[in-house]
Short mmCIF file of all heavy atoms in Angstrom, two decimals:
data_model
loop_
_atom_site.label_atom_id
_atom_site.label_comp_id
_atom_site.label_asym_id
_atom_site.label_seq_id
_atom_site.Cartn_x
_atom_site.Cartn_y
_atom_site.Cartn_z
N MET A 221 38.70 18.84 171.34
CA MET A 221 38.75 18.02 170.12
C MET A 221 37.72 18.56 169.17
O MET A 221 36.62 18.83 169.53
CB MET A 221 38.57 16.59 170.47
CG MET A 221 38.79 15.65 169.38
SD MET A 221 39.04 14.05 170.04
CE MET A 221 38.63 13.06 168.60
N LEU A 222 38.10 18.52 167.87
CA LEU A 222 37.21 19.00 166.83
C LEU A 222 36.16 18.00 166.46
O LEU A 222 36.63 16.84 166.28
CB LEU A 222 38.09 19.48 165.69
CG LEU A 222 38.99 20.69 165.80
CD1 LEU A 222 39.80 20.83 164.60
CD2 LEU A 222 38.33 21.84 166.15
N HIS A 223 34.89 18.41 166.39
CA HIS A 223 33.90 17.47 165.97
C HIS A 223 33.74 17.53 164.40
O HIS A 223 33.22 16.53 163.82
CB HIS A 223 32.61 17.90 166.51
CG HIS A 223 32.70 17.65 168.11
ND1 HIS A 223 32.77 16.45 168.74
CD2 HIS A 223 32.81 18.66 169.14
CE1 HIS A 223 32.81 16.50 170.05
NE2 HIS A 223 32.81 17.84 170.25
N ASN A 224 34.05 18.71 163.81
CA ASN A 224 33.95 18.77 162.41
C ASN A 224 35.24 18.36 161.74
O ASN A 224 36.22 19.01 161.64
CB ASN A 224 33.67 20.31 161.91
CG ASN A 224 33.40 20.45 160.54
OD1 ASN A 224 33.24 19.51 159.77
ND2 ASN A 224 33.18 21.76 160.16
N GLN A 225 35.26 17.22 161.11
CA GLN A 225 36.45 16.60 160.56
C GLN A 225 36.32 16.89 159.04
O GLN A 225 35.41 16.37 158.37
CB GLN A 225 36.68 15.09 160.74
CG GLN A 225 36.87 14.88 162.32
CD GLN A 225 37.03 13.43 162.59
OE1 GLN A 225 36.86 12.51 161.71
NE2 GLN A 225 37.26 12.97 163.85
N GLU A 226 37.27 17.62 158.56
CA GLU A 226 37.24 17.91 157.14
C GLU A 226 38.52 17.27 156.50
O GLU A 226 39.48 17.06 157.04
CB GLU A 226 37.38 19.39 156.94
CG GLU A 226 36.34 20.17 157.28
CD GLU A 226 36.45 21.67 157.05
OE1 GLU A 226 37.41 22.10 156.43
OE2 GLU A 226 35.51 22.37 157.37
N PHE A 227 38.29 16.77 155.19
CA PHE A 227 39.39 16.23 154.45
C PHE A 227 39.59 17.18 153.24
O PHE A 227 38.61 17.33 152.40
CB PHE A 227 38.98 14.83 153.96
CG PHE A 227 40.07 14.09 153.30
CD1 PHE A 227 41.14 13.64 153.94
CD2 PHE A 227 39.93 14.00 151.91
CE1 PHE A 227 42.19 13.03 153.24
CE2 PHE A 227 40.97 13.35 151.21
CZ PHE A 227 42.09 12.86 151.79
N ARG A 228 40.63 17.76 153.15
CA ARG A 228 40.95 18.69 152.05
C ARG A 228 41.94 18.10 151.05
O ARG A 228 42.97 17.45 151.40
CB ARG A 228 41.46 20.00 152.46
CG ARG A 228 40.40 20.80 153.38
CD ARG A 228 40.97 22.03 153.81
NE ARG A 228 40.05 22.75 154.71
CZ ARG A 228 40.22 24.01 154.92
NH1 ARG A 228 41.03 24.79 154.54
NH2 ARG A 228 39.16 24.60 155.64
N ILE A 229 41.77 18.36 149.82
CA ILE A 229 42.58 17.98 148.70
C ILE A 229 43.13 19.17 147.96
O ILE A 229 42.31 19.95 147.54
CB ILE A 229 41.78 17.02 147.83
CG1 ILE A 229 41.51 15.67 148.43
CG2 ILE A 229 42.76 16.62 146.59
CD1 ILE A 229 40.65 14.78 147.63
N TYR A 230 44.25 19.38 147.82
CA TYR A 230 44.92 20.40 147.22
C TYR A 230 45.49 19.91 145.83
O TYR A 230 46.32 18.99 145.91
CB TYR A 230 45.99 21.20 147.88
CG TYR A 230 45.41 21.88 149.30
CD1 TYR A 230 45.47 21.24 150.44
CD2 TYR A 230 44.73 23.04 149.05
CE1 TYR A 230 44.97 21.78 151.63
CE2 TYR A 230 44.32 23.68 150.22
CZ TYR A 230 44.44 23.12 151.46
OH TYR A 230 43.86 23.75 152.68
N LEU A 231 45.06 20.49 144.78
CA LEU A 231 45.56 20.05 143.51
C LEU A 231 46.70 20.96 142.99
O LEU A 231 46.36 22.29 142.89
CB LEU A 231 44.47 19.94 142.28
CG LEU A 231 43.41 19.00 142.69
CD1 LEU A 231 42.33 19.07 141.59
CD2 LEU A 231 43.99 17.59 142.70
N ILE A 232 47.83 20.54 142.67
CA ILE A 232 48.91 21.30 142.08
C ILE A 232 49.14 20.88 140.65
O ILE A 232 49.60 19.80 140.47
CB ILE A 232 50.16 21.16 142.96
CG1 ILE A 232 49.99 21.69 144.45
CG2 ILE A 232 51.38 22.03 142.34
CD1 ILE A 232 51.03 21.34 145.34
N THR A 233 48.72 21.83 139.72
CA THR A 233 48.82 21.41 138.38
C THR A 233 50.27 21.65 137.73
O THR A 233 51.00 22.35 138.40
CB THR A 233 47.81 22.10 137.52
OG1 THR A 233 48.10 23.50 137.64
CG2 THR A 233 46.40 21.86 138.06
N LYS A 234 50.49 21.08 136.65
CA LYS A 234 51.71 21.45 135.97
C LYS A 234 51.96 22.88 135.62
O LYS A 234 52.88 23.52 135.65
CB LYS A 234 51.88 20.55 134.68
CG LYS A 234 53.25 20.56 134.12
CD LYS A 234 53.44 19.56 132.93
CE LYS A 234 52.10 18.95 132.36
NZ LYS A 234 52.36 18.07 131.15
N GLY A 235 50.77 23.54 135.31
CA GLY A 235 50.80 24.98 135.03
C GLY A 235 51.14 25.85 136.18
O GLY A 235 51.83 26.83 136.07
N ASP A 236 50.66 25.44 137.26
CA ASP A 236 50.98 26.08 138.56
C ASP A 236 52.45 26.06 138.82
O ASP A 236 53.14 27.08 139.15
CB ASP A 236 50.25 25.65 139.84
CG ASP A 236 48.83 25.92 139.62
OD1 ASP A 236 48.41 26.81 138.94
OD2 ASP A 236 47.94 25.12 140.26
N ILE A 237 53.04 24.87 138.65
CA ILE A 237 54.59 24.74 138.95
C ILE A 237 55.30 25.56 137.86
O ILE A 237 56.24 26.28 138.15
CB ILE A 237 54.94 23.31 138.79
CG1 ILE A 237 54.23 22.50 140.02
CG2 ILE A 237 56.46 23.13 138.93
CD1 ILE A 237 54.40 21.07 139.99
N PHE A 238 54.87 25.46 136.57
CA PHE A 238 55.60 26.30 135.61
C PHE A 238 55.47 27.77 135.83
O PHE A 238 56.44 28.45 135.68
CB PHE A 238 54.98 25.92 134.16
CG PHE A 238 55.61 26.60 132.95
CD1 PHE A 238 56.84 26.24 132.61
CD2 PHE A 238 54.86 27.68 132.34
CE1 PHE A 238 57.55 26.84 131.53
CE2 PHE A 238 55.57 28.30 131.40
CZ PHE A 238 56.75 27.88 130.94
N ARG A 239 54.36 28.19 136.15
CA ARG A 239 54.13 29.62 136.51
C ARG A 239 55.07 30.00 137.71
O ARG A 239 55.67 31.09 137.50
CB ARG A 239 52.65 29.87 136.74
CG ARG A 239 52.24 31.36 136.89
CD ARG A 239 50.78 31.61 137.03
NE ARG A 239 49.94 30.79 136.19
CZ ARG A 239 49.13 29.93 136.56
NH1 ARG A 239 48.93 29.57 137.91
NH2 ARG A 239 48.39 29.02 135.75
N PHE A 240 55.16 29.35 138.66
CA PHE A 240 55.97 29.53 139.80
C PHE A 240 57.50 29.64 139.42
O PHE A 240 58.09 30.62 139.68
CB PHE A 240 55.88 28.59 140.89
CG PHE A 240 56.83 28.70 142.02
CD1 PHE A 240 56.63 29.72 143.01
CD2 PHE A 240 57.93 27.78 142.13
CE1 PHE A 240 57.55 29.92 144.02
CE2 PHE A 240 58.78 27.93 143.13
CZ PHE A 240 58.67 29.03 144.11
N VAL A 241 57.86 28.61 138.48
CA VAL A 241 59.36 28.65 138.19
C VAL A 241 59.60 29.84 137.29
O VAL A 241 60.58 30.53 137.51
CB VAL A 241 59.67 27.25 137.41
CG1 VAL A 241 60.99 27.35 136.76
CG2 VAL A 241 59.63 26.17 138.47
N VAL A 242 58.70 30.18 136.23
CA VAL A 242 59.04 31.19 135.45
C VAL A 242 58.92 32.57 136.07
O VAL A 242 59.70 33.44 136.05
CB VAL A 242 58.09 31.10 134.16
CG1 VAL A 242 58.22 32.36 133.31
CG2 VAL A 242 58.54 29.90 133.34
N LEU A 243 57.84 32.75 136.74
CA LEU A 243 57.51 34.01 137.27
C LEU A 243 58.37 34.40 138.59
O LEU A 243 59.07 35.39 138.63
CB LEU A 243 56.05 34.26 137.61
CG LEU A 243 55.59 35.64 138.04
CD1 LEU A 243 55.93 36.65 136.95
CD2 LEU A 243 54.07 35.62 138.34
N ASP A 244 58.37 33.47 139.63
CA ASP A 244 59.01 33.79 140.77
C ASP A 244 60.46 33.70 140.80
O ASP A 244 61.19 34.43 141.19
CB ASP A 244 58.39 32.95 141.89
CG ASP A 244 56.99 33.41 142.37
OD1 ASP A 244 56.81 34.59 142.09
OD2 ASP A 244 56.25 32.64 142.94
N ILE A 245 60.92 32.50 140.11
CA ILE A 245 62.34 32.29 140.04
C ILE A 245 63.08 33.02 139.04
O ILE A 245 64.04 33.74 139.20
CB ILE A 245 62.63 30.77 140.01
CG1 ILE A 245 62.00 30.09 141.27
CG2 ILE A 245 64.14 30.48 139.98
CD1 ILE A 245 62.18 28.62 141.40
N LEU A 246 62.66 32.85 137.78
CA LEU A 246 63.36 33.45 136.70
C LEU A 246 63.26 35.03 136.61
O LEU A 246 64.25 35.66 136.66
CB LEU A 246 62.96 32.82 135.34
CG LEU A 246 63.35 31.33 135.06
CD1 LEU A 246 62.90 30.94 133.79
CD2 LEU A 246 64.85 31.24 135.22
N ILE A 247 61.95 35.46 136.70
CA ILE A 247 61.81 36.94 136.59
C ILE A 247 62.24 37.54 137.86
O ILE A 247 62.89 38.66 137.91
CB ILE A 247 60.31 37.17 136.21
CG1 ILE A 247 60.11 36.68 134.79
CG2 ILE A 247 60.03 38.70 136.28
CD1 ILE A 247 58.72 36.96 134.47
N GLY A 248 62.05 36.89 139.05
CA GLY A 248 62.51 37.52 140.43
C GLY A 248 64.10 37.62 140.29
O GLY A 248 64.57 38.64 140.75
N SER A 249 64.74 36.61 139.85
CA SER A 249 66.14 36.65 139.73
C SER A 249 66.69 37.71 138.81
O SER A 249 67.71 38.51 139.06
CB SER A 249 66.75 35.36 139.35
OG SER A 249 66.41 34.29 140.20
N MET A 250 66.02 37.84 137.66
CA MET A 250 66.42 38.87 136.73
C MET A 250 66.19 40.26 137.24
O MET A 250 67.04 41.26 137.19
CB MET A 250 65.68 38.63 135.36
CG MET A 250 66.18 37.38 134.67
SD MET A 250 65.42 37.10 133.08
CE MET A 250 64.11 38.24 132.78
N THR A 251 65.07 40.53 137.88
CA THR A 251 64.73 41.88 138.39
C THR A 251 65.65 42.13 139.53
O THR A 251 66.03 43.30 139.76
CB THR A 251 63.28 42.00 138.77
OG1 THR A 251 62.86 41.01 139.71
CG2 THR A 251 62.43 41.96 137.62
N TYR A 252 65.98 41.17 140.34
CA TYR A 252 66.92 41.29 141.53
C TYR A 252 68.24 41.77 141.02
O TYR A 252 68.96 42.73 141.47
CB TYR A 252 66.96 40.16 142.33
CG TYR A 252 68.10 40.26 143.39
CD1 TYR A 252 67.89 40.84 144.69
CD2 TYR A 252 69.44 39.62 143.23
CE1 TYR A 252 68.94 40.99 145.52
CE2 TYR A 252 70.39 39.74 144.10
CZ TYR A 252 70.14 40.36 145.33
OH TYR A 252 71.12 40.48 146.21
N SER A 253 68.77 41.04 139.98
CA SER A 253 70.11 41.40 139.38
C SER A 253 70.07 42.76 138.75
O SER A 253 71.07 43.52 138.98
CB SER A 253 70.36 40.43 138.21
OG SER A 253 71.57 40.63 137.69
N LEU A 254 68.99 43.18 138.09
CA LEU A 254 68.89 44.47 137.49
C LEU A 254 68.85 45.54 138.64
O LEU A 254 69.66 46.64 138.53
CB LEU A 254 67.74 44.55 136.63
CG LEU A 254 67.48 45.87 135.92
CD1 LEU A 254 68.54 46.11 134.86
CD2 LEU A 254 66.14 45.87 135.20
N ALA A 255 68.13 45.28 139.63
CA ALA A 255 67.98 46.31 140.77
C ALA A 255 69.41 46.45 141.54
O ALA A 255 69.79 47.49 141.89
CB ALA A 255 66.95 45.92 141.68
N MET A 256 70.05 45.33 141.67
CA MET A 256 71.42 45.26 142.17
C MET A 256 72.35 46.07 141.41
O MET A 256 73.17 46.85 142.05
CB MET A 256 71.92 43.78 142.46
CG MET A 256 73.03 43.75 143.17
SD MET A 256 72.82 44.25 144.98
CE MET A 256 74.46 44.03 145.58
N ARG A 257 72.33 46.00 140.14
CA ARG A 257 73.21 46.80 139.20
C ARG A 257 72.81 48.30 139.44
O ARG A 257 73.72 49.08 139.30
CB ARG A 257 73.15 46.31 137.84
CG ARG A 257 73.81 45.02 137.73
CD ARG A 257 73.75 44.58 136.28
NE ARG A 257 74.14 43.28 136.21
CZ ARG A 257 74.75 42.73 135.08
NH1 ARG A 257 74.78 43.45 133.96
NH2 ARG A 257 75.03 41.45 135.02
N MET A 258 71.70 48.51 139.57
CA MET A 258 71.18 50.04 139.59
C MET A 258 71.47 50.66 140.98
O MET A 258 71.94 51.73 140.97
CB MET A 258 69.69 50.07 139.29
CG MET A 258 69.25 49.83 137.84
SD MET A 258 67.57 49.78 137.63
CE MET A 258 66.98 51.31 138.25
N PHE A 259 71.12 49.89 141.99
CA PHE A 259 71.26 50.51 143.37
C PHE A 259 72.45 50.13 144.23
O PHE A 259 72.88 50.92 145.07
CB PHE A 259 70.01 50.18 144.27
CG PHE A 259 68.69 50.57 143.55
CD1 PHE A 259 67.77 49.60 143.31
CD2 PHE A 259 68.46 51.82 143.35
CE1 PHE A 259 66.48 50.04 142.81
CE2 PHE A 259 67.24 52.23 142.74
CZ PHE A 259 66.26 51.34 142.47
N HIS A 260 73.14 49.10 143.89
CA HIS A 260 74.35 48.56 144.56
C HIS A 260 74.05 48.46 146.06
O HIS A 260 74.85 48.85 147.01
CB HIS A 260 75.60 49.55 144.30
CG HIS A 260 75.89 49.74 142.91
ND1 HIS A 260 76.50 48.69 142.20
CD2 HIS A 260 75.71 50.73 142.05
CE1 HIS A 260 76.71 49.16 140.99
NE2 HIS A 260 76.30 50.27 140.91
N ASN A 261 72.83 47.99 146.49
CA ASN A 261 72.43 47.73 147.76
C ASN A 261 71.60 46.51 147.97
O ASN A 261 70.67 46.44 147.17
CB ASN A 261 71.66 49.00 148.21
CG ASN A 261 71.20 49.08 149.78
OD1 ASN A 261 71.08 47.94 150.28
ND2 ASN A 261 71.16 50.20 150.22
N LEU A 262 71.93 45.58 148.81
CA LEU A 262 71.17 44.41 148.89
C LEU A 262 69.78 44.56 149.23
O LEU A 262 68.79 43.84 148.70
CB LEU A 262 71.85 43.44 150.00
CG LEU A 262 73.25 42.92 149.55
CD1 LEU A 262 73.79 42.19 150.75
CD2 LEU A 262 73.15 42.02 148.31
N ILE A 263 69.45 45.51 150.17
CA ILE A 263 68.04 45.63 150.74
C ILE A 263 67.21 46.29 149.47
O ILE A 263 66.09 45.73 149.25
CB ILE A 263 68.07 46.49 151.87
CG1 ILE A 263 68.72 45.89 153.06
CG2 ILE A 263 66.66 46.93 152.25
CD1 ILE A 263 69.00 46.63 154.32
N LEU A 264 67.67 47.29 148.90
CA LEU A 264 67.00 47.90 147.77
C LEU A 264 66.86 46.91 146.56
O LEU A 264 65.69 46.85 145.95
CB LEU A 264 67.63 49.18 147.26
CG LEU A 264 67.53 50.40 148.29
CD1 LEU A 264 68.29 51.55 147.67
CD2 LEU A 264 66.12 50.69 148.54
N ALA A 265 67.84 46.05 146.39
CA ALA A 265 67.73 45.16 145.29
C ALA A 265 66.74 44.03 145.53
O ALA A 265 65.98 43.61 144.67
CB ALA A 265 69.11 44.47 145.00
N GLY A 266 66.73 43.65 146.87
CA GLY A 266 65.57 42.61 147.23
C GLY A 266 64.28 43.16 147.13
O GLY A 266 63.39 42.45 146.75
N ALA A 267 64.16 44.38 147.57
CA ALA A 267 62.83 45.04 147.54
C ALA A 267 62.32 45.34 146.18
O ALA A 267 61.18 45.03 145.75
CB ALA A 267 62.77 46.29 148.29
N GLY A 268 63.26 45.63 145.29
CA GLY A 268 62.95 45.96 143.84
C GLY A 268 62.58 44.57 143.23
O GLY A 268 61.64 44.60 142.26
N GLY A 269 63.28 43.51 143.41
CA GLY A 269 63.01 42.20 142.85
C GLY A 269 61.62 41.69 143.30
O GLY A 269 60.91 41.24 142.45
N TRP A 270 61.37 41.91 144.59
CA TRP A 270 60.05 41.50 145.02
C TRP A 270 58.92 42.33 144.53
O TRP A 270 57.87 41.76 144.20
CB TRP A 270 60.06 41.50 146.62
CG TRP A 270 58.80 41.29 147.20
CD1 TRP A 270 58.20 40.15 147.45
CD2 TRP A 270 57.81 42.37 147.64
NE1 TRP A 270 56.94 40.28 148.10
CE2 TRP A 270 56.72 41.69 148.09
CE3 TRP A 270 57.84 43.71 147.59
CZ2 TRP A 270 55.60 42.32 148.61
CZ3 TRP A 270 56.73 44.32 148.18
CH2 TRP A 270 55.56 43.60 148.59
N ALA A 271 59.01 43.49 144.53
CA ALA A 271 58.03 44.43 143.94
C ALA A 271 57.74 44.22 142.47
O ALA A 271 56.55 44.27 142.12
CB ALA A 271 58.46 45.92 144.22
N CYS A 272 58.71 44.04 141.70
CA CYS A 272 58.49 43.75 140.34
C CYS A 272 57.80 42.37 140.15
O CYS A 272 56.83 42.36 139.29
CB CYS A 272 59.84 43.70 139.47
SG CYS A 272 60.57 45.36 139.27
N THR A 273 58.26 41.41 140.77
CA THR A 273 57.53 40.08 140.70
C THR A 273 56.07 40.13 141.14
O THR A 273 55.27 39.72 140.45
CB THR A 273 58.26 39.07 141.51
OG1 THR A 273 59.76 38.98 141.05
CG2 THR A 273 57.75 37.62 141.38
N GLU A 274 55.85 40.77 142.30
CA GLU A 274 54.42 40.88 142.76
C GLU A 274 53.70 41.78 141.85
O GLU A 274 52.34 41.52 141.67
CB GLU A 274 54.53 41.50 144.22
CG GLU A 274 54.98 40.53 145.20
CD GLU A 274 54.20 39.18 145.35
OE1 GLU A 274 52.92 39.12 145.31
OE2 GLU A 274 54.77 38.17 145.41
N GLY A 275 54.21 42.87 141.30
CA GLY A 275 53.50 43.63 140.34
C GLY A 275 53.09 42.83 139.04
O GLY A 275 51.98 43.09 138.70
N LEU A 276 53.94 42.14 138.60
CA LEU A 276 53.72 41.25 137.33
C LEU A 276 52.60 40.31 137.73
O LEU A 276 51.73 40.01 136.83
CB LEU A 276 54.92 40.56 136.97
CG LEU A 276 55.90 41.46 136.18
CD1 LEU A 276 57.23 40.59 135.82
CD2 LEU A 276 55.34 42.02 134.97
N LYS A 277 52.62 39.76 138.89
CA LYS A 277 51.47 38.72 139.34
C LYS A 277 50.10 39.54 139.36
O LYS A 277 49.12 39.00 138.85
CB LYS A 277 51.76 38.21 140.79
CG LYS A 277 52.84 37.10 140.71
CD LYS A 277 52.83 36.73 142.26
CE LYS A 277 54.10 35.78 142.41
NZ LYS A 277 54.22 35.49 143.86
N ARG A 278 50.11 40.72 139.85
CA ARG A 278 48.87 41.42 139.97
C ARG A 278 48.34 41.83 138.64
O ARG A 278 47.12 42.03 138.44
CB ARG A 278 49.05 42.61 140.97
CG ARG A 278 49.20 42.09 142.40
CD ARG A 278 48.87 43.14 143.46
NE ARG A 278 48.82 42.53 144.83
CZ ARG A 278 49.81 42.32 145.52
NH1 ARG A 278 50.97 42.64 145.19
NH2 ARG A 278 49.68 41.66 146.70
N ILE A 279 49.27 42.37 137.76
CA ILE A 279 48.94 42.74 136.44
C ILE A 279 48.29 41.51 135.55
O ILE A 279 47.25 41.65 135.00
CB ILE A 279 50.06 43.39 135.70
CG1 ILE A 279 50.43 44.69 136.18
CG2 ILE A 279 49.80 43.41 134.16
CD1 ILE A 279 51.77 45.28 135.66
N GLY A 280 48.88 40.24 135.90
CA GLY A 280 48.32 39.13 135.23
C GLY A 280 46.97 38.82 135.71
O GLY A 280 46.11 38.39 135.04
N LYS A 281 46.69 39.02 137.03
CA LYS A 281 45.40 38.72 137.55
C LYS A 281 44.42 39.70 137.04
O LYS A 281 43.22 39.27 136.67
CB LYS A 281 45.34 38.80 139.13
CG LYS A 281 46.12 37.63 139.75
CD LYS A 281 46.02 37.61 141.26
CE LYS A 281 46.72 36.52 141.88
NZ LYS A 281 46.65 36.61 143.30
N LEU A 282 44.74 40.90 136.91
CA LEU A 282 43.86 41.96 136.40
C LEU A 282 43.43 41.71 134.98
O LEU A 282 42.34 41.77 134.44
CB LEU A 282 44.50 43.37 136.51
CG LEU A 282 44.62 43.97 137.90
CD1 LEU A 282 45.20 45.27 137.94
CD2 LEU A 282 43.18 44.03 138.55
N LYS A 283 44.46 41.35 134.11
CA LYS A 283 44.16 41.01 132.68
C LYS A 283 43.32 39.82 132.64
O LYS A 283 42.40 39.72 131.77
CB LYS A 283 45.46 40.67 131.93
CG LYS A 283 46.21 41.97 131.62
CD LYS A 283 47.44 41.58 130.75
CE LYS A 283 48.16 42.85 130.29
NZ LYS A 283 49.36 42.49 129.45
N PHE A 284 43.40 38.78 133.51
CA PHE A 284 42.76 37.58 133.51
C PHE A 284 41.32 37.81 133.84
O PHE A 284 40.31 37.34 133.30
CB PHE A 284 43.27 36.43 134.37
CG PHE A 284 42.48 35.25 134.53
CD1 PHE A 284 42.42 34.37 133.48
CD2 PHE A 284 41.68 34.99 135.71
CE1 PHE A 284 41.68 33.22 133.59
CE2 PHE A 284 40.93 33.88 135.82
CZ PHE A 284 41.03 32.98 134.70
N LEU A 285 41.12 38.76 134.86
CA LEU A 285 39.73 39.11 135.30
C LEU A 285 39.00 39.93 134.22
O LEU A 285 37.83 39.84 134.10
CB LEU A 285 39.78 39.85 136.63
CG LEU A 285 40.26 39.01 137.84
CD1 LEU A 285 40.34 39.95 139.12
CD2 LEU A 285 39.20 37.96 138.16
N ASN A 286 39.69 40.83 133.63
CA ASN A 286 39.01 41.72 132.59
C ASN A 286 38.79 41.07 131.25
O ASN A 286 37.99 41.51 130.48
CB ASN A 286 39.83 43.00 132.43
CG ASN A 286 39.72 43.88 133.73
OD1 ASN A 286 38.78 43.78 134.53
ND2 ASN A 286 40.80 44.66 133.98
N GLY A 287 39.60 40.08 130.86
CA GLY A 287 39.53 39.50 129.62
C GLY A 287 39.13 38.08 129.58
O GLY A 287 38.62 37.32 129.31
#
C-alpha cells in the first residue's frame, strides 16, 4: 500500500480544447485527405497526416520558446 498519498488536479482550459480541435482534428483531417489524394494508400496517408500534425505542433512549440 502506498504511504505517499497525492491529490492531483488537472486543469483543461478552453484554449487547450480549441487547440486540440483545430490542430488535431481539422488540420489532421485536411492533411490526411491531401496525402490520400497524393499517395492513394491508407498507410501512407495516415502517416502523412500524423507527421504533418506533429510537425506543426513542434514548430508551434519552437516559436513559443524562442519568442
Side-chain angles (χ1 to χ4, degrees):
M221 189 161 150
L222 296 175
H223 296 286
N224 185 8
Q225 295 179 356
E226 294 182 2
F227 184 75
R228 293 184 184 192
I229 298 174
Y230 295 98
L231 297 176
I232 301 173
T233 63
K234 193 173 11 175
D236 293 335
I237 294 171
F238 180 73
R239 191 175 313 117
F240 172 75
V241 168
V242 169
L243 189 62
D244 285 335
I245 294 176
L246 291 179
I247 294 178
S249 297
M250 289 180 354
T251 56
Y252 172 82
S253 177
L254 181 65
M256 187 64 181
R257 289 180 187 203
M258 289 173 54
F259 300 123
H260 301 288
N261 185 330
L262 291 175
I263 295 172
L264 290 177
W270 172 80
C272 287
T273 304
E274 291 298 318
L276 287 174
K277 285 181 191 177
R278 290 197 169 88
I279 288 172
K281 285 182 183 179
L282 290 175
K283 283 186 179 181
F284 177 72
L285 291 174
N286 291 333

